[in-house]
Amino acid sequence: MDRKIDSPCIMTIFGGTGDLTHRKLIPALYNLFHEGMLPQGFLVVGVGRKDKNHESYREELKASVEKHSRFKLNKDVWELFSQKIHYYRMEITHSEDYDGLKSYLNSLDTSFSTEGNRLYYLSVAPSFFETVTCNLHAFGMAENNSSWQRLIIEKPFGHDLKTAQYLNKIISEVFPQENIFRIDHYLGKEMLQNILVIRFGNAMFESFWNSRYIENIQITSSETLGIKNRADYYDSSGALRDMLQNHMLQLLALVAMEPPASIDAKSIRDEKIKLLRSITRNNLGTIKENIVRGQYSDGAIGSREVPAYRNESGIPRESNTETFIAASLMAGNFRWGNMPFYLRTGKRMRQKITKVIIEFKSLPEILYFKEYKGMQPNLMEIRIQPSEGVSFSFNAKKPGTHNEIANVKMDFCQNCSLEHNSPEAYERLLADALKNDQTLFTSWDEIEASWMLVDNIAQLWNEEKPDFPNYKPDTFGPPEADELLAKKGHKWWNE
Ligand code: BG6
């Protein structure tokens, strides 16, 4: 039930000269244009404080598209697309500048038939979310008359439950909930969307998707990179707020939720909320023994020496911010009982990989399971990135006259063929916001349930000083993360 992007609009990007605009937003829009998905009446206005004109702005963006777009830059396509890009200089903290922006956008409506529709994108530091939203309101730029006005807001949505509630209150006084699009870019990834199809489009999978057949589920999102140039943001967030509160819990919700009544945004969100609430409710009392945190020391990634987190530029030498977290959580509902969901995420680890592993229960120790050493439980692996696909491993007889058993794999690789070029997460998300489809955006209730859990973890951590650093780069995190699983008789499936 794909809706078309047919209504014209102006997308105004606050933070128009920033990193996200260059690396993700403009390349994504270029790709949508390349595929003929943008409507005729579509304009982008990049808002920034630097002094530049439309032409110089376009030239800078062209270099970024050349570098980051999944389609190679085509000169003719760029020529047409770049005419849709405009630059507007203002100080977003100066209220008086919004009047000028309003008149400018209105004048573009007249020349380009964009009919007063607006998509405002907040690609600025969270400390500016309130200022921009309130000014849009004060200058009558967020009113829904005969046109539509929507707001896209980047993560982090708050720093804890209290600040998130405050932010939600402020923006929902200006925009109705149905016009607020909270980005979690993981939801735009192809294989995350595929989780629901795999689960609810196959009788075979759905019938064993419960704790009677599954031993545990492991969700890993590891990175080899450090914190790049985001010291201030990262040191006040850590892996808990940066990854677990949003991407990891969203992944968990999709893997573990009940079937929705329909595939519309509301039905899917309703099920995700129920799951997140049950995760929060069932784990608050057991956080201490079920969460492990880590911080990387100095070491090497391959042959490259890398500094310890505490020696990264801009990070305080005594910082206790975690760059790794592993959690064992229970959903505690009829489907999952006490079956553990293991989540882990971290920086400077062995691999850049996001994957979900479903480990099935082993058969009783009779027949082959008694005879042969090294029989493995069946594993299903959903690979989110960089490789996209699903594989299933099982035991089979090795061909030959001896009775030997080998672990073999059936594999569906989505991005193996050269022609395949999955759309970037932001392409899908921007297209959906333009179509007014909320399915892949996070609702306020989901954010609230996630913060409740995260606040409890943060509070517990505040009471104890960690023994950091506790893991080397190019590893799978601190040994305590392995012990977390070992005490339940499990292990991480790393390869
Ligand atoms: C972002 C985090 O949301 O996700 C970053 O702020 C992290 O710290 C990034 O590196 C990971 O995204 P991806 O798409 O590269 O897995």
PDB file of all heavy atoms in Angstrom, residues 53-81:
ATOM      1  N   ASN A  53      26.000  32.137  -1.107  1.00  0.00           N
ATOM      2  CA  ASN A  53      24.846  32.301  -1.996  1.00  0.00           C
ATOM      3  C   ASN A  53      24.382  30.919  -2.477  1.00  0.00           C
ATOM      4  O   ASN A  53      25.025  29.907  -2.196  1.00  0.00           O
ATOM      5  CB  ASN A  53      25.180  33.247  -3.156  1.00  0.00           C
ATOM      6  CG  ASN A  53      26.398  32.774  -3.928  1.00  0.00           C
ATOM      7  OD1 ASN A  53      26.620  31.557  -4.050  1.00  0.00           O
ATOM      8  ND2 ASN A  53      27.196  33.700  -4.439  1.00  0.00           N
ATOM      9  N   HIS A  54      23.293  30.912  -3.225  1.00  0.00           N
ATOM     10  CA  HIS A  54      22.758  29.611  -3.667  1.00  0.00           C
ATOM     11  C   HIS A  54      23.827  28.810  -4.414  1.00  0.00           C
ATOM     12  O   HIS A  54      23.982  27.629  -4.208  1.00  0.00           O
ATOM     13  CB  HIS A  54      21.572  29.800  -4.613  1.00  0.00           C
ATOM     14  CG  HIS A  54      20.442  30.583  -4.016  1.00  0.00           C
ATOM     15  ND1 HIS A  54      20.045  30.442  -2.722  1.00  0.00           N
ATOM     16  CD2 HIS A  54      19.627  31.535  -4.569  1.00  0.00           C
ATOM     17  CE1 HIS A  54      19.034  31.257  -2.478  1.00  0.00           C
ATOM     18  NE2 HIS A  54      18.758  31.938  -3.575  1.00  0.00           N
ATOM     19  N   GLU A  55      24.564  29.525  -5.295  1.00  0.00           N
ATOM     20  CA  GLU A  55      25.532  28.811  -6.139  1.00  0.00           C
ATOM     21  C   GLU A  55      26.647  28.171  -5.332  1.00  0.00           C
ATOM     22  O   GLU A  55      26.993  27.010  -5.526  1.00  0.00           O
ATOM     23  CB  GLU A  55      26.129  29.774  -7.194  1.00  0.00           C
ATOM     24  CG  GLU A  55      25.397  29.746  -8.525  1.00  0.00           C
ATOM     25  CD  GLU A  55      24.927  28.346  -8.940  1.00  0.00           C
ATOM     26  OE1 GLU A  55      25.751  27.406  -8.952  1.00  0.00           O
ATOM     27  OE2 GLU A  55      23.721  28.173  -9.240  1.00  0.00           O
ATOM     28  N   SER A  56      27.205  28.952  -4.383  1.00  0.00           N
ATOM     29  CA  SER A  56      28.326  28.370  -3.628  1.00  0.00           C
ATOM     30  C   SER A  56      27.823  27.222  -2.748  1.00  0.00           C
ATOM     31  O   SER A  56      28.496  26.209  -2.571  1.00  0.00           O
ATOM     32  CB  SER A  56      29.058  29.436  -2.810  1.00  0.00           C
ATOM     33  OG  SER A  56      28.146  30.062  -1.922  1.00  0.00           O
ATOM     34  N   TYR A  57      26.606  27.364  -2.247  1.00  0.00           N
ATOM     35  CA  TYR A  57      26.017  26.297  -1.431  1.00  0.00           C
ATOM     36  C   TYR A  57      25.857  25.028  -2.277  1.00  0.00           C
ATOM     37  O   TYR A  57      26.251  23.929  -1.887  1.00  0.00           O
ATOM     38  CB  TYR A  57      24.668  26.782  -0.905  1.00  0.00           C
ATOM     39  CG  TYR A  57      23.974  25.844   0.073  1.00  0.00           C
ATOM     40  CD1 TYR A  57      24.655  25.312   1.159  1.00  0.00           C
ATOM     41  CD2 TYR A  57      22.623  25.522  -0.084  1.00  0.00           C
ATOM     42  CE1 TYR A  57      24.014  24.464   2.062  1.00  0.00           C
ATOM     43  CE2 TYR A  57      21.971  24.684   0.823  1.00  0.00           C
ATOM     44  CZ  TYR A  57      22.672  24.151   1.888  1.00  0.00           C
ATOM     45  OH  TYR A  57      22.040  23.322   2.786  1.00  0.00           O
ATOM     46  N   ARG A  58      25.335  25.208  -3.470  1.00  0.00           N
ATOM     47  CA  ARG A  58      25.126  24.046  -4.360  1.00  0.00           C
ATOM     48  C   ARG A  58      26.456  23.367  -4.680  1.00  0.00           C
ATOM     49  O   ARG A  58      26.537  22.140  -4.718  1.00  0.00           O
ATOM     50  CB  ARG A  58      24.449  24.498  -5.664  1.00  0.00           C
ATOM     51  CG  ARG A  58      22.994  24.869  -5.460  1.00  0.00           C
ATOM     52  CD  ARG A  58      22.401  25.550  -6.682  1.00  0.00           C
ATOM     53  NE  ARG A  58      21.080  26.066  -6.388  1.00  0.00           N
ATOM     54  CZ  ARG A  58      20.469  27.017  -7.082  1.00  0.00           C
ATOM     55  NH1 ARG A  58      21.070  27.591  -8.121  1.00  0.00           N
ATOM     56  NH2 ARG A  58      19.256  27.415  -6.745  1.00  0.00           N
ATOM     57  N   GLU A  59      27.485  24.189  -4.919  1.00  0.00           N
ATOM     58  CA  GLU A  59      28.796  23.596  -5.240  1.00  0.00           C
ATOM     59  C   GLU A  59      29.310  22.728  -4.093  1.00  0.00           C
ATOM     60  O   GLU A  59      29.827  21.631  -4.300  1.00  0.00           O
ATOM     61  CB  GLU A  59      29.826  24.709  -5.553  1.00  0.00           C
ATOM     62  CG  GLU A  59      29.774  25.205  -6.981  1.00  0.00           C
ATOM     63  CD  GLU A  59      29.849  24.060  -8.001  1.00  0.00           C
ATOM     64  OE1 GLU A  59      30.814  23.271  -7.952  1.00  0.00           O
ATOM     65  OE2 GLU A  59      28.916  23.940  -8.839  1.00  0.00           O
ATOM     66  N   GLU A  60      29.149  23.230  -2.864  1.00  0.00           N
ATOM     67  CA  GLU A  60      29.618  22.449  -1.702  1.00  0.00           C
ATOM     68  C   GLU A  60      28.845  21.137  -1.594  1.00  0.00           C
ATOM     69  O   GLU A  60      29.398  20.078  -1.305  1.00  0.00           O
ATOM     70  CB  GLU A  60      29.420  23.242  -0.409  1.00  0.00           C
ATOM     71  CG  GLU A  60      30.403  24.384  -0.265  1.00  0.00           C
ATOM     72  CD  GLU A  60      29.980  25.357   0.835  1.00  0.00           C
ATOM     73  OE1 GLU A  60      29.107  25.011   1.669  1.00  0.00           O
ATOM     74  OE2 GLU A  60      30.513  26.467   0.834  1.00  0.00           O
ATOM     75  N   LEU A  61      27.534  21.244  -1.836  1.00  0.00           N
ATOM     76  CA  LEU A  61      26.712  20.035  -1.713  1.00  0.00           C
ATOM     77  C   LEU A  61      27.026  19.030  -2.820  1.00  0.00           C
ATOM     78  O   LEU A  61      26.963  17.817  -2.610  1.00  0.00           O
ATOM     79  CB  LEU A  61      25.230  20.402  -1.721  1.00  0.00           C
ATOM     80  CG  LEU A  61      24.766  21.215  -0.511  1.00  0.00           C
ATOM     81  CD1 LEU A  61      23.305  21.611  -0.665  1.00  0.00           C
ATOM     82  CD2 LEU A  61      24.939  20.449   0.798  1.00  0.00           C
ATOM     83  N   LYS A  62      27.387  19.575  -3.977  1.00  0.00           N
ATOM     84  CA  LYS A  62      27.729  18.676  -5.094  1.00  0.00           C
ATOM     85  C   LYS A  62      28.904  17.785  -4.696  1.00  0.00           C
ATOM     86  O   LYS A  62      28.891  16.561  -4.928  1.00  0.00           O
ATOM     87  CB  LYS A  62      28.097  19.518  -6.322  1.00  0.00           C
ATOM     88  CG  LYS A  62      28.383  18.710  -7.546  1.00  0.00           C
ATOM     89  CD  LYS A  62      28.702  19.627  -8.703  1.00  0.00           C
ATOM     90  CE  LYS A  62      29.056  18.825  -9.935  1.00  0.00           C
ATOM     91  NZ  LYS A  62      29.587  19.677 -10.987  1.00  0.00           N
ATOM     92  N   ALA A  63      29.901  18.394  -4.052  1.00  0.00           N
ATOM     93  CA  ALA A  63      31.074  17.605  -3.628  1.00  0.00           C
ATOM     94  C   ALA A  63      30.634  16.507  -2.658  1.00  0.00           C
ATOM     95  O   ALA A  63      31.132  15.378  -2.704  1.00  0.00           O
ATOM     96  CB  ALA A  63      32.098  18.517  -2.979  1.00  0.00           C
ATOM     97  N   SER A  64      29.677  16.821  -1.783  1.00  0.00           N
ATOM     98  CA  SER A  64      29.224  15.812  -0.820  1.00  0.00           C
ATOM     99  C   SER A  64      28.448  14.704  -1.510  1.00  0.00           C
ATOM    100  O   SER A  64      28.562  13.534  -1.143  1.00  0.00           O
ATOM    101  CB  SER A  64      28.327  16.450   0.245  1.00  0.00           C
ATOM    102  OG  SER A  64      29.051  17.429   0.910  1.00  0.00           O
ATOM    103  N   VAL A  65      27.640  15.074  -2.498  1.00  0.00           N
ATOM    104  CA  VAL A  65      26.881  14.039  -3.209  1.00  0.00           C
ATOM    105  C   VAL A  65      27.858  13.117  -3.941  1.00  0.00           C
ATOM    106  O   VAL A  65      27.709  11.890  -3.929  1.00  0.00           O
ATOM    107  CB  VAL A  65      25.855  14.683  -4.179  1.00  0.00           C
ATOM    108  CG1 VAL A  65      25.248  13.637  -5.111  1.00  0.00           C
ATOM    109  CG2 VAL A  65      24.753  15.375  -3.384  1.00  0.00           C
ATOM    110  N   GLU A  66      28.895  13.718  -4.527  1.00  0.00           N
ATOM    111  CA  GLU A  66      29.905  12.900  -5.215  1.00  0.00           C
ATOM    112  C   GLU A  66      30.512  11.874  -4.273  1.00  0.00           C
ATOM    113  O   GLU A  66      30.785  10.743  -4.640  1.00  0.00           O
ATOM    114  CB  GLU A  66      31.024  13.790  -5.773  1.00  0.00           C
ATOM    115  CG  GLU A  66      30.764  14.113  -7.218  1.00  0.00           C
ATOM    116  CD  GLU A  66      31.662  15.204  -7.767  1.00  0.00           C
ATOM    117  OE1 GLU A  66      32.250  15.982  -6.984  1.00  0.00           O
ATOM    118  OE2 GLU A  66      31.758  15.268  -9.003  1.00  0.00           O
ATOM    119  N   LYS A  67      30.685  12.293  -3.043  1.00  0.00           N
ATOM    120  CA  LYS A  67      31.345  11.423  -2.074  1.00  0.00           C
ATOM    121  C   LYS A  67      30.380  10.417  -1.432  1.00  0.00           C
ATOM    122  O   LYS A  67      30.741   9.271  -1.189  1.00  0.00           O
ATOM    123  CB  LYS A  67      31.914  12.335  -0.986  1.00  0.00           C
ATOM    124  CG  LYS A  67      33.124  11.806  -0.320  1.00  0.00           C
ATOM    125  CD  LYS A  67      33.940  12.926   0.270  1.00  0.00           C
ATOM    126  CE  LYS A  67      34.546  12.502   1.579  1.00  0.00           C
ATOM    127  NZ  LYS A  67      34.920  13.629   2.376  1.00  0.00           N
ATOM    128  N   HIS A  68      29.162  10.836  -1.153  1.00  0.00           N
ATOM    129  CA  HIS A  68      28.317  10.006  -0.299  1.00  0.00           C
ATOM    130  C   HIS A  68      27.094   9.378  -0.962  1.00  0.00           C
ATOM    131  O   HIS A  68      26.401   8.586  -0.331  1.00  0.00           O
ATOM    132  CB  HIS A  68      27.822  10.825   0.903  1.00  0.00           C
ATOM    133  CG  HIS A  68      28.935  11.359   1.743  1.00  0.00           C
ATOM    134  ND1 HIS A  68      29.735  10.549   2.495  1.00  0.00           N
ATOM    135  CD2 HIS A  68      29.388  12.615   1.936  1.00  0.00           C
ATOM    136  CE1 HIS A  68      30.638  11.290   3.131  1.00  0.00           C
ATOM    137  NE2 HIS A  68      30.457  12.547   2.800  1.00  0.00           N
ATOM    138  N   SER A  69      26.809   9.766  -2.206  1.00  0.00           N
ATOM    139  CA  SER A  69      25.573   9.240  -2.790  1.00  0.00           C
ATOM    140  C   SER A  69      25.744   7.794  -3.262  1.00  0.00           C
ATOM    141  O   SER A  69      26.816   7.411  -3.727  1.00  0.00           O
ATOM    142  CB  SER A  69      25.192  10.117  -3.981  1.00  0.00           C
ATOM    143  OG  SER A  69      24.382   9.405  -4.847  1.00  0.00           O
ATOM    144  N   ARG A  70      24.686   7.008  -3.192  1.00  0.00           N
ATOM    145  CA  ARG A  70      24.799   5.620  -3.669  1.00  0.00           C
ATOM    146  C   ARG A  70      24.739   5.585  -5.195  1.00  0.00           C
ATOM    147  O   ARG A  70      25.291   4.704  -5.819  1.00  0.00           O
ATOM    148  CB  ARG A  70      23.753   4.739  -3.000  1.00  0.00           C
ATOM    149  CG  ARG A  70      22.459   4.554  -3.660  1.00  0.00           C
ATOM    150  CD  ARG A  70      21.490   3.811  -2.792  1.00  0.00           C
ATOM    151  NE  ARG A  70      20.154   4.278  -3.043  1.00  0.00           N
ATOM    152  CZ  ARG A  70      19.343   3.736  -3.952  1.00  0.00           C
ATOM    153  NH1 ARG A  70      19.735   2.710  -4.671  1.00  0.00           N
ATOM    154  NH2 ARG A  70      18.130   4.224  -4.125  1.00  0.00           N
ATOM    155  N   PHE A  71      24.043   6.544  -5.842  1.00  0.00           N
ATOM    156  CA  PHE A  71      24.128   6.641  -7.303  1.00  0.00           C
ATOM    157  C   PHE A  71      25.280   7.573  -7.643  1.00  0.00           C
ATOM    158  O   PHE A  71      25.427   8.626  -7.007  1.00  0.00           O
ATOM    159  CB  PHE A  71      22.856   7.253  -7.901  1.00  0.00           C
ATOM    160  CG  PHE A  71      21.685   6.321  -7.878  1.00  0.00           C
ATOM    161  CD1 PHE A  71      20.495   6.706  -7.263  1.00  0.00           C
ATOM    162  CD2 PHE A  71      21.752   5.076  -8.477  1.00  0.00           C
ATOM    163  CE1 PHE A  71      19.402   5.857  -7.234  1.00  0.00           C
ATOM    164  CE2 PHE A  71      20.658   4.221  -8.456  1.00  0.00           C
ATOM    165  CZ  PHE A  71      19.478   4.608  -7.839  1.00  0.00           C
ATOM    166  N   LYS A  72      26.072   7.197  -8.600  1.00  0.00           N
ATOM    167  CA  LYS A  72      27.175   8.052  -9.043  1.00  0.00           C
ATOM    168  C   LYS A  72      26.583   9.374  -9.519  1.00  0.00           C
ATOM    169  O   LYS A  72      25.507   9.398 -10.112  1.00  0.00           O
ATOM    170  CB  LYS A  72      27.868   7.361 -10.222  1.00  0.00           C
ATOM    171  CG  LYS A  72      29.347   7.497 -10.192  1.00  0.00           C
ATOM    172  CD  LYS A  72      29.972   6.553 -11.206  1.00  0.00           C
ATOM    173  CE  LYS A  72      31.315   7.089 -11.554  1.00  0.00           C
ATOM    174  NZ  LYS A  72      31.499   7.912 -12.626  1.00  0.00           N
ATOM    175  N   LEU A  73      27.282  10.462  -9.253  1.00  0.00           N
ATOM    176  CA  LEU A  73      26.734  11.760  -9.654  1.00  0.00           C
ATOM    177  C   LEU A  73      26.660  11.863 -11.185  1.00  0.00           C
ATOM    178  O   LEU A  73      27.652  11.636 -11.871  1.00  0.00           O
ATOM    179  CB  LEU A  73      27.574  12.898  -9.085  1.00  0.00           C
ATOM    180  CG  LEU A  73      26.942  14.256  -9.289  1.00  0.00           C
ATOM    181  CD1 LEU A  73      26.713  14.955  -7.961  1.00  0.00           C
ATOM    182  CD2 LEU A  73      27.798  15.122 -10.177  1.00  0.00           C
ATOM    183  N   ASN A  74      25.470  12.179 -11.656  1.00  0.00           N
ATOM    184  CA  ASN A  74      25.273  12.351 -13.087  1.00  0.00           C
ATOM    185  C   ASN A  74      25.102  13.846 -13.319  1.00  0.00           C
ATOM    186  O   ASN A  74      24.255  14.482 -12.691  1.00  0.00           O
ATOM    187  CB  ASN A  74      24.016  11.572 -13.497  1.00  0.00           C
ATOM    188  CG  ASN A  74      23.599  11.832 -14.920  1.00  0.00           C
ATOM    189  OD1 ASN A  74      23.421  12.982 -15.328  1.00  0.00           O
ATOM    190  ND2 ASN A  74      23.440  10.769 -15.666  1.00  0.00           N
ATOM    191  N   LYS A  75      25.939  14.384 -14.211  1.00  0.00           N
ATOM    192  CA  LYS A  75      25.979  15.844 -14.367  1.00  0.00           C
ATOM    193  C   LYS A  75      24.613  16.442 -14.717  1.00  0.00           C
ATOM    194  O   LYS A  75      24.197  17.452 -14.147  1.00  0.00           O
ATOM    195  CB  LYS A  75      26.975  16.216 -15.482  1.00  0.00           C
ATOM    196  CG  LYS A  75      28.258  16.815 -14.918  1.00  0.00           C
ATOM    197  CD  LYS A  75      29.215  17.211 -15.999  1.00  0.00           C
ATOM    198  CE  LYS A  75      28.975  18.661 -16.391  1.00  0.00           C
ATOM    199  NZ  LYS A  75      29.511  19.054 -17.660  1.00  0.00           N
ATOM    200  N   ASP A  76      23.910  15.792 -15.638  1.00  0.00           N
ATOM    201  CA  ASP A  76      22.623  16.343 -16.075  1.00  0.00           C
ATOM    202  C   ASP A  76      21.591  16.262 -14.959  1.00  0.00           C
ATOM    203  O   ASP A  76      20.816  17.201 -14.743  1.00  0.00           O
ATOM    204  CB  ASP A  76      22.093  15.581 -17.299  1.00  0.00           C
ATOM    205  CG  ASP A  76      23.065  15.703 -18.446  1.00  0.00           C
ATOM    206  OD1 ASP A  76      23.823  16.699 -18.451  1.00  0.00           O
ATOM    207  OD2 ASP A  76      23.088  14.793 -19.302  1.00  0.00           O
ATOM    208  N   VAL A  77      21.610  15.122 -14.249  1.00  0.00           N
ATOM    209  CA  VAL A  77      20.639  14.971 -13.150  1.00  0.00           C
ATOM    210  C   VAL A  77      20.954  16.006 -12.065  1.00  0.00           C
ATOM    211  O   VAL A  77      20.061  16.669 -11.527  1.00  0.00           O
ATOM    212  CB  VAL A  77      20.698  13.532 -12.559  1.00  0.00           C
ATOM    213  CG1 VAL A  77      19.741  13.379 -11.392  1.00  0.00           C
ATOM    214  CG2 VAL A  77      20.389  12.500 -13.639  1.00  0.00           C
ATOM    215  N   TRP A  78      22.236  16.174 -11.775  1.00  0.00           N
ATOM    216  CA  TRP A  78      22.611  17.145 -10.743  1.00  0.00           C
ATOM    217  C   TRP A  78      22.177  18.562 -11.146  1.00  0.00           C
ATOM    218  O   TRP A  78      21.665  19.329 -10.337  1.00  0.00           O
ATOM    219  CB  TRP A  78      24.125  17.109 -10.453  1.00  0.00           C
ATOM    220  CG  TRP A  78      24.508  18.229  -9.535  1.00  0.00           C
ATOM    221  CD1 TRP A  78      25.096  19.411  -9.879  1.00  0.00           C
ATOM    222  CD2 TRP A  78      24.234  18.318  -8.121  1.00  0.00           C
ATOM    223  NE1 TRP A  78      25.228  20.229  -8.769  1.00  0.00           N
ATOM    224  CE2 TRP A  78      24.708  19.568  -7.679  1.00  0.00           C
ATOM    225  CE3 TRP A  78      23.636  17.453  -7.195  1.00  0.00           C
ATOM    226  CZ2 TRP A  78      24.608  19.985  -6.343  1.00  0.00           C
ATOM    227  CZ3 TRP A  78      23.540  17.873  -5.865  1.00  0.00           C
ATOM    228  CH2 TRP A  78      24.013  19.117  -5.454  1.00  0.00           C
ATOM    229  N   GLU A  79      22.389  18.901 -12.413  1.00  0.00           N
ATOM    230  CA  GLU A  79      22.005  20.243 -12.890  1.00  0.00           C
ATOM    231  C   GLU A  79      20.535  20.532 -12.563  1.00  0.00           C
ATOM    232  O   GLU A  79      20.190  21.586 -12.045  1.00  0.00           O
ATOM    233  CB  GLU A  79      22.197  20.325 -14.417  1.00  0.00           C
ATOM    234  CG  GLU A  79      23.405  21.100 -14.897  1.00  0.00           C
ATOM    235  CD  GLU A  79      23.956  22.080 -13.891  1.00  0.00           C
ATOM    236  OE1 GLU A  79      23.254  23.089 -13.650  1.00  0.00           O
ATOM    237  OE2 GLU A  79      25.046  21.852 -13.321  1.00  0.00           O
ATOM    238  N   LEU A  80      19.685  19.567 -12.868  1.00  0.00           N
ATOM    239  CA  LEU A  80      18.245  19.757 -12.617  1.00  0.00           C
ATOM    240  C   LEU A  80      17.951  19.779 -11.117  1.00  0.00           C
ATOM    241  O   LEU A  80      17.216  20.639 -10.624  1.00  0.00           O
ATOM    242  CB  LEU A  80      17.448  18.608 -13.260  1.00  0.00           C
ATOM    243  CG  LEU A  80      17.437  18.580 -14.779  1.00  0.00           C
ATOM    244  CD1 LEU A  80      16.778  17.300 -15.278  1.00  0.00           C
ATOM    245  CD2 LEU A  80      16.675  19.808 -15.300  1.00  0.00           C
ATOM    246  N   PHE A  81      18.565  18.827 -10.410  1.00  0.00           N
ATOM    247  CA  PHE A  81      18.292  18.728  -8.973  1.00  0.00           C
ATOM    248  C   PHE A  81      18.793  19.967  -8.234  1.00  0.00           C
ATOM    249  O   PHE A  81      18.112  20.507  -7.354  1.00  0.00           O
ATOM    250  CB  PHE A  81      18.960  17.456  -8.417  1.00  0.00           C
ATOM    251  CG  PHE A  81      18.859  17.331  -6.916  1.00  0.00           C
ATOM    252  CD1 PHE A  81      17.619  17.144  -6.298  1.00  0.00           C
ATOM    253  CD2 PHE A  81      19.989  17.424  -6.112  1.00  0.00           C
ATOM    254  CE1 PHE A  81      17.518  17.037  -4.908  1.00  0.00           C
ATOM    255  CE2 PHE A  81      19.895  17.324  -4.723  1.00  0.00           C
ATOM    256  CZ  PHE A  81      18.656  17.127  -4.118  1.00  0.00           C
TER     257      PHE A  81
END
